[in-house]
Amino acid sequence: MLPSPAAPRTHRLVPSPAGRTHLVEQGSGPLVLLVHGFPESWYAWRHQLSALAAAGYRAVAMDVRGHGRSSRPDAVDAYRILELVEDGAAVVRALGERTAVIVGHDWGATVAATSALVRPDVFRAVGLLSVPYTPPGGPRPSEVFARMGGAEEFYVSYFQRPGRAEAEIEPDVRRWLAGFYAALSADTMPAPGAPDPHFVSRGGRLCDRFPAGRLPSWLSERDLDVYAAEFERTGLAGALARYRNMDRDWEDLTEYDGAPITQPSLFVGGALDASTTWLADAIKAFPSTLPGLAASHILDGCGHWIQQERPAEVNRSLIDWLGSLAD
């Protein structure tokens, strides 16, 4: 008996509050919406689309507004997180579905968590990769980040002023992306004790601390070309606008201060990822902040780009978890 042919992968543009949202769809079955982080695109989920489709799911990876082929509003405040939540809900509607499971990585994990929090009518379960859930509330984010690093500047603060990071990145997008990906990958990140690439020396550039000369094992030259081509075409302002709305998000979500996410949930992080180590207390708090948590996995020897660094393990965790959910 011949094996069944792989489900085709389809690109679509659907209406959304952003204008239009580009997505890539593969398979049929319960809808799983995949949301990427910075600086990425739908392509970050290339390994998951086929695996989820083969497991009986309708896997859809979207370009978040400001990225790839999705619309790029001019106003910085058009990128606040509640706008991105509504883009995701609009994608679900445009696909003819009422509900979906949402899975996010990096900034996408924060978007996915917020989507589950504020639109439980649409998002029935949530998977978080790399960045654990921390309930809204606490001090104003800009004040927290300004205190980090001492004499150095935390990268989130560095990204705040429009045009500043763009001036560093856009003259050679491909080289900057290669360095950024390498800086946060398990096999190419700086050695312990080396200057931390999450911080910038006063008057310096973020890329001054990036490793050079070797791509991480998960990133081929072709993969890098795909990412670079999109950001060379669009620029970085839309992607960086997500960082420039953190205080607005903090204000917008005040009614949810301290709120748990009660839907079924999953977390997968990398043991060598700063998002996992810096937010260890958030992971410890999961029994109260994610009472529906089915599993929490920390992958040894894994960095930040988890679903690309360790696709087989991430796919297995996702498929096992999805299989435990009621349709």
Side-chain angles (χ1 to χ4, degrees):
M1 182 177 178
L2 294 175
S4 299
R9 191 173 287 180
T10 303
H11 291 255
R12 297 176 61 178
L13 286 166
V14 300
S16 70
R20 295 198 300 175
T21 293
H22 170 250
L23 56 86
V24 179
E25 177 181 4
Q26 191 168 2
S28 59
L31 177 60
V32 182
L33 183 63
L34 305 168
V35 187
H36 67 80
F38 174 87
E40 298 176 294
S41 68
W42 75 266
Y43 191 73
W45 300 104
R46 61 196 179 280
H47 303 299
Q48 285 66 52
L49 286 166
S50 297
L52 293 176
Y57 296 95
R58 186 183 188 185
V60 173
M62 59 186 285
D63 278 337
V64 174
R65 67 167 66 189
H67 298 72
R69 302 180 208 176
S70 291
S71 295
R72 299 188 303 280
D74 291 331
V76 172
D77 65 359
Y79 295 85
R80 61 210 311 155
I81 203 160
L82 291 181
E83 297 282 354
L84 274 61
V85 167
E86 292 309 314
D87 286 345
V91 166
V92 174
R93 290 193 301 272
L95 293 173
E97 303 284 354
R98 295 177 60 190
T99 64
V101 175
I102 189 167
V103 179
H105 168 256
D106 183 76
W107 259 122
T110 305
V111 173
T114 308
S115 298
L117 184 65
V118 307
R119 293 300 307 269
D121 57 314
V122 176
F123 299 105
R124 63 187 181 93
V126 59
L128 309 177
L129 305 186
S130 296
V131 177
Y133 175 60
T134 54
R140 183 178 290 273
S142 60
E143 296 173 357
V144 174
F145 299 133
R147 293 194 295 267
M148 297 178 67
E152 298 177 336
E153 187 175 14
F154 191 47
Y155 79 100
V156 175
S157 297
Y158 181 74
F159 284 165
Q160 292 298 305
R161 190 172 74 235
R164 183 186 187 191
E166 291 92 322
E168 172 184 331
I169 301 168
E170 291 178 355
D172 193 343
V173 170
R174 192 179 192 278
R175 182 180 219 175
W176 194 92
L177 290 176
F180 191 71
Y181 296 146
L184 306 185
S185 297
D187 58 343
T188 48
M189 63 177 52
D196 191 332
H198 295 90
F199 294 88
V200 183
S201 299
R202 297 295 175 181
R205 303 173 302 169
L206 195 65
C207 63
D208 293 339
R209 297 184 176 184
F210 291 171
R214 184 163 70 97
L215 295 181
S217 58
W218 61 268
L219 184 71
S220 70
E221 295 285 351
R222 180 185 176 278
D223 295 332
L224 181 58
D225 286 343
V226 171
Y227 283 126
E230 290 289 66
F231 285 112
E232 286 168 350
R233 181 175 58 80
T234 64
L236 271 293
L240 288 164
R242 183 79 289 280
Y243 292 92
R244 295 164 185 165
N245 278 282
M246 297 181 77
D247 281 355
R248 292 186 183 94
D249 297 341
W250 179 78
E251 295 166 355
D252 289 344
L253 295 172
T254 53
E255 68 179 282
Y256 297 96
D257 281 6
I261 292 173
T262 58
Q263 295 97 310
S265 56
L266 171 75
F267 176 72
V268 187
L272 302 180
D273 184 2
S275 298
T276 300
T277 56
W278 289 347
L279 295 173
D281 287 344
I283 295 172
K284 291 178 183 176
F286 280 169
S288 58
T289 62
L290 292 177
L293 185 71
S296 179
H297 305 288
I298 304 297
L299 303 185
D300 290 338
C302 184
H304 182 66
W305 316 105
I306 187 166
Q307 78 270 37
Q308 298 175 89
E309 290 188 52
R310 304 281 276 277
E313 290 163 87
V314 170
N315 292 348
R316 185 164 56 249
S317 294
L318 287 173
I319 291 167
D320 288 348
W321 172 63
L322 290 167
S324 72
L325 303 176
D327 290 340

